Amino acid sequence: MATDFTRLPLRGEQDALHVVVESPRGSTVKLKYDSKLQAFMLSRPLTRGFRYPFDWGFIPSTKGPDGDPLDALVYWDVPTWPGVVLPCRALGVLQVDQKKRDSKSGERERNDRLLLVPVNATRSDHLNSYQDLSQREREELEHFFLAVVHFADKDARILGWDGPDAAERMVQQYALKED
């Protein structure tokens, strides 16, 4: 029997947020979990020369403004693989808006990216907020997210960064209600 990764519990032990990895660090393709097929599918190749700088995935049991689970980037130096569930803590949110899917009128929607770190990544114990990353590193992440969608007709814009409390509020706001 297959597992619907989008319906896994939002949180685990010690209230850590679960992140389901779709595209691992170093991947040159964007993988996307398809809950109908209960499989990881190829979404698209990244722009030539790009690869994911960190594990990329989603927070299960959430649904963001774009209709998908909340996006998550796991900041650490180890690649995993699709389907791995990482218990994490929030460092912040990269606020992004983009052209709404299938919008002829140019309507925009939010598509923020949560920045998290695994709770058991001891080399990252000193990180408490996105502000603990250098300005250069934050700008590189912003550039990465804009560049990888450049040819996808999304017209993404960076709106700014917010801290771990904003990330937690966002998770609470978009958490699926239990049936």
Side-chain angles (χ1 to χ4, degrees):
M1 177 190 251
T3 300
D4 182 353
F5 286 94
T6 64
R7 293 297 191 164
L8 293 177
L10 175 68
R11 295 184 184 273
E13 292 180 19
Q14 300 171 356
D15 212 29
L17 288 167
H18 283 151
V19 176
V20 176
V21 175
E22 290 175 301
S23 298
R25 176 187 177 131
S27 178
T28 58
V29 296
K30 181 176 196 259
L31 300 175
K32 188 168 178 71
Y33 180 73
D34 184 318
S35 59
K36 290 183 182 112
L37 289 176
Q38 294 185 334
F40 292 87
M41 303 287 295
L42 175 67
S43 174
R44 69 178 183 275
L46 296 186
T47 302
R48 187 166 295 170
F50 282 85
R51 60 187 64 242
Y52 278 94
F54 304 104
D55 283 349
W56 171 256
F58 64 87
I59 308 291
S61 294
T62 62
K63 186 175 183 181
D66 64 351
D68 292 333
L70 294 175
D71 292 326
L73 184 70
V74 182
Y75 183 88
W76 70 325
D77 56 356
V78 181
T80 60
W81 56 88
V84 168
V85 178
L86 297 170
C88 293
R89 58 186 173 82
L91 296 178
V93 180
L94 176 58
Q95 300 165 325
V96 178
D97 80 354
Q98 64 189 29
K99 192 164 73 173
K100 204 171 191 176
R101 282 185 221 172
D102 306 321
S103 174
K104 305 286 188 235
S105 64
E107 289 178 273
R108 302 189 71 78
E109 65 187 355
R110 290 293 288 269
N111 193 9
D112 297 345
R113 283 92 160 113
L114 292 163
L115 180 66
L116 303 106
V117 64
V119 295
N120 57 359
T122 54
R123 286 187 290 263
S124 299
D125 283 348
H126 66 288
L127 298 175
N128 296 306
S129 167
Y130 76 94
Q131 293 172 319
D132 294 329
L133 277 61
S134 70
Q135 179 68 28
R136 168 67 186 249
E137 203 159 19
R138 292 191 307 262
E139 288 174 5
E140 286 180 9
L141 290 174
E142 293 170 15
H143 178 74
F144 171 79
F145 284 118
L146 293 177
V148 297
V149 299
H150 177 77
F151 295 107
D153 193 33
K154 293 188 176 191
D155 187 32
R157 296 185 302 205
I158 302 297
L159 304 175
W161 288 88
D162 208 343
D165 291 340
E168 283 292 338
R169 284 191 304 275
M170 188 174 144
V171 168
Q172 291 306 314
Q173 179 180 359
Y174 295 111
L176 296 175
K177 306 300 179 230
E178 305 230 355
D179 298 330

